[in-house]
Amino acid sequence: MRPYDYSKLKGRAREKGMTLEKIQKSTGIPARTLSDKWNGKRDFNQTEMLALKKALDLESIDAYFFIVKL
């Protein structure tokens, strides 16, 4: 497991009414890849972070992608 907690990112997607399929269409990130990354099996790359920032209207990448699991 990776050391980052993406629960805030998942919550933001829920707030925006975005399913994995909608995010996939908006960002081009395959739903399976997104699921693996949200669950800490793989790391997000810079391109994916920027695409999700735009798709989910995030104010800051740091606040959603770099929260360390305790």
Side-chain angles (χ1 to χ4, degrees):
M1 296 293 281
R2 302 290 182 201
Y4 297 110
D5 179 358
Y6 297 116
S7 58
K8 187 173 179 182
L9 180 65
K10 292 183 222 179
R12 179 63 173 191
R14 281 190 300 274
E15 286 174 13
K16 292 289 191 176
M18 298 288 280
T19 62
L20 287 177
E21 292 77 22
K22 288 180 183 178
I23 294 170
Q24 187 273 322
K25 287 178 184 176
S26 177
T27 64
I29 303 169
R32 180 68 186 155
T33 300
L34 184 59
S35 177
D36 284 350
K37 292 182 180 203
W38 270 356
N39 291 310
K41 294 178 183 175
R42 298 169 58 193
D43 290 326
F44 285 98
N45 65 41
Q46 186 176 24
T47 302
E48 293 164 338
M49 287 182 215
L50 292 172
L52 286 164
K53 181 180 187 291
K54 181 178 179 181
L56 299 176
D57 193 29
L58 305 177
E59 67 275 3
S60 164
I61 287 177
D62 291 347
Y64 292 89
F65 292 97
F66 299 106
I67 300 170
V68 178
K69 286 184 181 178
L70 299 176

